[in-house]
């Protein structure tokens, strides 16, 4: 059986102190093996690399949310993630079905805590021949999202999760009023996001 050519893409959303997300820009692709592409937006607001442009084989994916509910703040972030899933499902452009088994998931949402300026990061793997997504990992960074210093409201937490789930289904950053605006917590899902998702899947 022929081995698949797989590429791993990493989409990183960054935070500025107390407000929006910033980033730098780099790309590193290895053909025929696992490679990594980092798609970011530069600090000065210019954009040169904007997303994966790959998609799942159908307009649905199973998602496993691996977030503990032991602390009040993490429970809030877990609820925000489920709210983001619900909002995406209400658009009818893509459907996330929740699974209680990580092994059954296409997309896994986890937490990380790192002082790396990234509030959210989504890594996707896809077949280089077909361009079809194989799996996605969303990491929400509690160092920023749950910090009193950065003051993320519940609405911004939901917007952040919506943004990262957008990357997980193949959406690129754009400069419109959109959940995929590079400052990923600024907007919720808008008509342009539904339109762009429908372009991929309908």
């Amino acid at each position: 059986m022929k081995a698949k050519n797989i590429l791993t893409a990493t989409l990183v959303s960054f935070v500025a102190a107390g407000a929006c997300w910033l980033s730098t820009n780099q790309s590193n692709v290895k053909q025929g093996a696992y490679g990594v592409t980092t798609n970011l937006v530069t600090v000065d607001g210019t954009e040169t690399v904007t997303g994966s442009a790959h998609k799942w084989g159908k307009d649905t994916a199973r998602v496993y949310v691996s977030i503990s509910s032991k602390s009040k703040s993490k429970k809030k972030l877990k609820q925000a993630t489920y709210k983001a899933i619900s909002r995406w499902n209400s658009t009818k452009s893509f459907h996330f079905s929740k699974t209680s088994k990580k092994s059954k998931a296409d997309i896994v949402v986890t937490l990380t805590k790192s002082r790396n300026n990234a509030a959210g990061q989504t890594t996707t793997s896809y077949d280089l021949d077909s361009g079809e997504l194989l799996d996605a990992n969303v990491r929400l960074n509690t160092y920023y999202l749950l910090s009193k210093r950065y003051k993320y409201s519940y609405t911004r937490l939901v917007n952040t999760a919506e943004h990262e789930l957008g990357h997980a289904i193949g959406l690129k950053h754009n400069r419109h009023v959109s959940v995929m605006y590079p400052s990923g917590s600024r907007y919720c899902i808008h008509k342009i996001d539904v339109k762009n998702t429908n372009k991929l899947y309908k």
Side-chain angles (χ1 to χ4, degrees):
M1 184 189 225
K2 182 182 174 185
K4 288 184 176 181
N5 289 329
I6 297 173
L7 179 76
T8 301
T10 304
L11 304 165
V12 184
S13 299
F14 280 75
V15 289
C20 298
W21 297 356
L22 303 174
S23 63
T24 53
N25 190 14
Q26 69 182 59
S27 178
N28 177 23
V29 179
K30 294 180 181 178
Q31 299 270 332
Y34 281 102
V36 176
T37 301
T38 304
N39 298 272
L40 307 169
V41 180
T42 58
V43 174
D44 63 6
T46 59
E47 191 168 358
T48 55
V49 182
T50 57
S52 69
H54 297 278
K55 64 178 185 175
W56 297 97
K58 52 187 178 179
D59 62 353
T60 184
R62 294 178 300 265
V63 60
Y64 176 76
V65 179
S66 181
I67 301 176
S68 169
S69 299
K70 290 182 180 178
S71 72
K72 186 181 282 188
S73 57
K74 287 182 180 177
K75 183 177 181 180
K76 185 178 178 182
L77 191 48
K78 186 174 188 175
Q79 289 170 341
T81 302
Y82 282 133
K83 184 71 173 178
I85 290 169
S86 177
R87 285 189 177 171
W88 269 114
N89 287 347
S90 71
T91 70
K92 301 190 185 307
S93 59
F94 193 90
H95 182 77
F96 294 99
S97 59
K98 291 176 274 188
T99 179
S100 59
K101 294 184 178 180
K102 187 176 181 179
S103 61
K104 300 284 186 182
D106 303 303
I107 300 166
V108 177
V109 181
T110 59
L111 299 182
T112 186
K113 188 173 184 179
S114 176
R115 193 175 178 176
N116 62 0
N117 289 332
Q121 175 177 307
T122 296
T123 302
T124 58
S125 297
Y126 54 89
D127 188 294
L128 282 175
D129 295 326
S130 68
E132 190 171 304
L133 288 169
L134 303 172
D135 59 62
N137 289 283
V138 173
R139 295 176 186 87
L140 302 174
N141 193 347
T142 60
Y143 182 86
Y144 300 103
L145 299 176
L146 300 182
S147 167
K148 291 180 180 178
R149 176 182 175 188
Y150 293 96
K151 300 177 181 177
Y152 272 76
S153 65
Y154 181 74
T155 297
R156 288 183 69 198
L157 294 178
V158 174
N159 292 352
T160 300
E162 288 177 2
H163 179 95
E164 296 305 329
L165 288 170
H167 283 316
I169 64 175
L171 293 181
K172 300 177 181 182
H173 284 148
N174 67 66
R175 307 298 294 186
H176 303 285
V177 175
S178 159
V179 75
M180 299 314 296
Y181 191 82
S183 298
S185 68
R186 186 176 294 186
Y187 303 115
C188 62
I189 299 167
H190 279 71
K191 287 182 179 179
I192 190 171
D193 305 306
V194 177
K195 181 180 178 181
N196 287 340
T197 306
N198 283 336
K199 280 182 182 178
L200 280 177
Y201 292 100
K202 304 300 182 188

